[in-house]
């Protein structure tokens, strides 16, 4: 496999918390699965923020620029490891690795795209 893209992003959790207060904002950026997962957690805005950072990192790493954030989904495997899926035919042969980290104030993510 060859690395064809690398992206990283950091976001303030307060920014995502403010965004979440706007009607319909979450559903424009996140999948229903991401929203349900995050809102069920104690630190829901941290979980939303780290998913937002992951979407930004993946967006930066992809070899094509036009993709909606809602088409990038960040979930967790049973062992807790994050997993990214991209709902776009152009991504079918790509492997996307992602690392997530968050605190009360910041969320960060790095994505590597391989082919």
């Amino acid at each position: 496999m060859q690395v064809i893209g690398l992206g990283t992003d950091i976001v303030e959790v307060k920014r995502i918390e403010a965004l979440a207060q706007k009607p319909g904002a979450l559903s424009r950026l996140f999948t229903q699965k991401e929203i349900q997962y995050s809102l069920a957690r104690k630190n829901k805005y941290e979980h939303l923020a780290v998913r937002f950072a992951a979407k930004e990192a993946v967006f930066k790493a992809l070899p094509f620029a036009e993709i909606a954030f809602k088409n990038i989904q960040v979930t967790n495997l049973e062992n807790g490891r994050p997993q990214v899926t991209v709902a776009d035919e152009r991504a079918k042969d790509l492997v996307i690795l992602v690392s997530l980290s968050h605190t009360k104030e910041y969320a960060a993510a790095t994505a590597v795209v391989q082919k």
Side-chain angles (χ1 to χ4, degrees):
M1 291 226 154
Q2 172 184 352
V3 173
I4 60 169
L6 173 68
T8 191
D9 193 66
I10 186 169
V11 64
E12 287 183 275
V13 173
K14 284 183 181 182
R15 179 176 164 219
I16 302 305
E17 184 176 355
L19 179 72
Q21 307 312 313
K22 297 178 183 178
L26 292 182
S27 62
R28 285 192 302 273
L29 297 171
F30 300 98
T31 65
Q32 195 60 37
K33 190 172 186 175
E34 291 169 320
I35 294 169
Q36 288 174 343
Y37 173 85
S38 297
L39 295 183
R41 299 292 177 263
K42 179 181 176 186
N43 303 316
K44 58 187 169 189
Y45 299 116
E46 291 174 27
H47 288 276
L48 284 168
V50 81
R51 276 155 182 71
F52 183 86
K55 289 170 182 269
E56 279 278 5
V58 169
F59 180 83
K60 293 171 183 177
L62 287 172
F64 46 90
E66 327 75 34
I67 187 164
F69 268 29
K70 200 167 180 174
N71 289 343
I72 301 169
Q73 180 172 260
V74 183
T75 56
N76 293 81
L77 298 172
E78 286 185 23
N79 64 5
R81 182 176 168 198
Q83 173 182 313
V84 173
T85 53
V86 177
D88 190 298
E89 182 66 24
R90 297 170 292 179
K92 70 177 182 171
D93 295 327
L94 303 177
V95 173
I96 302 171
L97 307 173
V98 66
S99 178
L100 311 178
S101 186
H102 59 83
T103 66
K104 274 180 97 170
E105 296 175 354
Y106 295 99
T110 299
V112 175
V113 176
Q114 299 176 316
K115 186 170 185 178

